[in-house]
Amino acid sequence: MNYLSQLCRSIQPYQAGEQPQDKKYVKLNTNENPYPPCKGVTQFLQDFESERLKLYPDPENKALCDKIAEMHGLKRENVFVGNGSDEVLAMCFPTFFDRDGNGVAYCDITYSFYKVWAKMFEIPSVVIPLMSDFKFDVSAFKQAKCQGMIICNPNAPTGAIVNRLDLIAIIEANPEKLIIIDEAYADFCNCSMANYVNKYPNILIVRTFSKSYSLAGARCGYAVGNEVLINGLKTIKNSFNSYTVNALTEGIAVKALEDKKYFSSCVDKIIATREDVSDKLRELGFEVLPSSSNFLFVRHSYKRASELYFQLKENGVLVRHFTASRIDDFLRITIGSPEEMKVLIQKLKLILKA
Ligand code: PMP
C-alpha cells in the first residue's frame, strides 16, 4: 500500500449528523432551516428546461458569482463558489497551508471537520482551547504561532460569537497570516465580516446557502476575499473538478439571493423561536449557552446528554450528541419551527418526569 492510501485509511473521517430514511423524525440534528426555500426557487425548478442538462454548466458560475459580489459590494473576482461550504473549506487547506509550515490554528471545540482536513492534507494543527466558559480566547489567537487560522463565527457547536472588535484585533495583530472566517451561521446574528474583505487582504470569509437560505440539499457555498486568495482557490479547484456547482444549483442560489424579504423573515422567525425555546429549556433545568446561531447548546442539571439523546430519538425527536471530551454532557438542538419545538419540549417534559 502506498503512503497516500495508507494516510487516507488512517483518517477518522468527519461524521455528519444522521439523515435517517426509515421514519419521519422531528429533525433537529443538522442545523437545517425548517422553512422551505423562497418561491423564486420553486418557480425556477418548475421552469427549468431539462434539455439544459445535456450541457455542462458555466465552469466559472459567473451569474452566481456576480449576484454574490453584488450582495457584498464586491467584484466577481472576489468570489469563489463551491459544492457546499465544506468543499470550499476543504480546498482552502491545500491552497493556503504548507505541510512543513507553522500550521493552521483553530479552537479545540469547533467544527470538527477542520481537524479532518488538516490531517488529510498533512497540515500541522495548532489547537487553541476555548476558555472554561466556552468563550473564545482572543489573546491566544492574537499571539498564535501558526501559518493561518480558521475561526468559526458564530462557533459550532457552542453558538458563541466573537465580537467584531475582537476579530479586527486578531486580524490586525496577524497581517501576515491568512484568517479564514467560517460564517456558516453568521446570518443568525448579522455578524458578517464580508464587507471587510477590501480592507484586509488577509481574510477569507466562507459562507453557505445551507442554513439561512434553506438550501442544504442544493449544496452551495462560497468564499469572498482578496483576488489573490480567490485565484489560489480557483487553481486548486480546477485541478480537481471544473464543474463543482451544477446548473440547477447555480440557478437556485441566484433566486434565493433575489428574495431578501423572505430570507429576512425566515431568519427573524428562527431567532424569535431560539429565544423562546431557550427560556423553556431553562425552565426544564437546562443550562443553555447564549447562542447567536440557529441551534442551542444545552446541558441538563442531572440527566446525562447521551441518555437524553437516545430517549428523544425513541420519541421521534433527533438532536445531536457529540462524544468529544469537554462537550459530551451537552446536546446541540437545531431551532426548528415553533410546532417542532413544541414537540421537543413536550417530549422532554415526559422524559424528565419519568
Ligand atoms: N461550517 C460549519 C461550521 C458547519 O456547521 C457546516 C455544516 N455542517 C458547514 C461549514 C458546511 O456546510 P455546507 O457544506 O452545507 O455549506
Side-chain angles (χ1 to χ4, degrees):
M1 201 161 38
N2 74 27
Y3 171 69
L4 266 181
S5 52
Q6 233 167 15
L7 169 75
C8 290
R9 271 159 237 229
S10 72
I11 286 176
Q12 183 78 3
Y14 173 73
Q15 253 203 324
E18 297 156 88
Q19 297 292 349
Q21 313 289 330
D22 56 335
K23 68 176 203 191
K24 205 158 165 23
Y25 286 92
V26 172
K27 202 172 164 302
L28 308 174
N29 68 329
T30 44
N31 299 341
E32 289 139 329
N33 195 312
Y35 301 107
C38 69
K39 290 212 172 72
V41 167
T42 314
Q43 194 62 49
F44 171 83
L45 287 170
Q46 277 166 3
D47 297 345
F48 189 86
E49 284 165 16
S50 55
E51 176 86 12
R52 270 185 68 189
L53 292 177
K54 72 183 187 194
L55 301 180
Y56 284 107
D58 172 11
E60 294 172 60
N61 300 111
K62 291 188 279 299
L64 178 56
C65 289
D66 284 348
K67 265 276 172 229
I68 293 168
E70 181 195 318
M71 172 168 72
H72 293 299
L74 297 166
K75 291 195 281 204
R76 184 193 293 168
E77 292 73 26
N78 298 116
V79 183
F80 175 80
V81 292
N83 186 315
S85 59
D86 273 343
E87 185 185 72
V88 175
L89 287 162
M91 286 188 186
C92 287
F93 281 72
T95 309
F96 302 120
F97 302 119
D98 297 314
R99 286 181 179 176
D100 53 0
N102 284 333
V104 51
Y106 51 85
C107 295
D108 62 340
I109 297 162
T110 190
Y111 187 34
S112 47
F113 227 142
Y114 306 152
K115 70 166 182 287
V116 178
W117 290 314
K119 182 123 199 268
M120 175 80 193
F121 293 105
E122 300 190 289
I123 314 294
S125 286
V126 178
V127 178
I128 300 183
L130 289 181
M131 297 194 292
S132 57
D133 54 1
F134 295 104
K135 289 218 178 92
F136 187 85
D137 191 340
V138 177
S139 72
F141 271 85
K142 273 166 83 175
Q143 295 159 31
K145 194 172 168 319
C146 57
Q147 187 175 17
M149 46 186 83
I150 303 192
I151 298 171
C152 185
N153 198 39
N155 197 15
T158 62
I161 191 175
V162 188
N163 72 47
R164 186 158 295 164
L165 288 180
D166 284 336
L167 271 181
I168 290 175
I170 293 168
I171 294 163
E172 292 190 347
N174 292 286
E176 305 299 322
K177 292 174 193 154
L178 174 68
I179 298 172
I180 299 170
I181 306 178
D182 178 353
E183 293 192 350
Y185 303 101
D187 287 327
F188 300 102
C189 60
N190 204 6
C191 68
S192 181
M193 291 291 284
N195 50 354
Y196 284 80
V197 154
N198 281 329
K199 183 163 183 199
Y200 299 115
N202 63 324
I203 64 172
L204 187 81
I205 312 299
V206 180
R207 299 175 57 85
T208 180
F209 285 86
S210 297
K211 320 291 179 180
S212 50
Y213 289 93
S214 309
L215 289 176
R219 310 304 301 127
C220 194
Y222 65 95
V224 290
N226 183 279
E227 202 177 326
V228 177
L229 301 177
I230 298 301
N231 283 339
L233 282 168
K234 285 181 184 167
T235 303
I236 293 295
K237 175 208 132 172
N238 288 316
S239 313
F240 268 109
N241 175 5
S242 312
Y243 309 104
T244 50
V245 178
N246 69 67
L248 279 161
T249 293
E250 177 171 27
I252 286 170
V254 166
K255 290 294 170 194
L257 291 178
E258 282 172 359
D259 197 340
K260 303 247 175 311
K261 210 167 143 202
Y262 180 75
F263 165 82
S264 304
S265 74
C266 293
V267 167
D268 289 349
K269 280 194 279 189
I270 289 168
I271 293 172
T273 310
R274 177 182 81 201
E275 297 314 306
D276 179 55
V277 176
S278 301
D279 292 342
K280 295 203 164 91
L281 288 170
R282 286 192 185 103
E283 282 164 23
L284 290 178
F286 284 92
E287 176 192 355
V288 182
L289 299 195
S291 171
S292 300
S293 195
N294 69 336
F295 55 81
L296 294 171
F297 205 48
V298 306
R299 139 168 84 181
H300 196 255
S301 51
Y302 60 85
K303 187 93 173 169
R304 284 175 51 195
S306 53
E307 276 176 56
L308 274 174
Y309 162 80
F310 282 114
Q311 286 178 282
L312 279 170
K313 190 170 177 184
E314 272 170 13
N315 279 276
V317 180
L318 262 190
V319 297
R320 189 97 198 247
H321 175 240
F322 298 93
T323 51
S325 68
R326 284 190 84 184
I327 55 167
D328 55 351
D329 49 354
F330 279 86
L331 292 177
R332 193 195 66 190
I333 304 175
T334 303
I335 302 300
S337 65
E339 297 74 35
E340 288 173 313
M341 301 323 273
K342 206 167 151 191
V343 176
L344 167 83
I345 298 292
Q346 273 167 357
K347 300 293 182 193
L348 279 174
K349 279 183 181 159
L350 272 177
I351 291 166
L352 292 169
K353 233 197 265 163

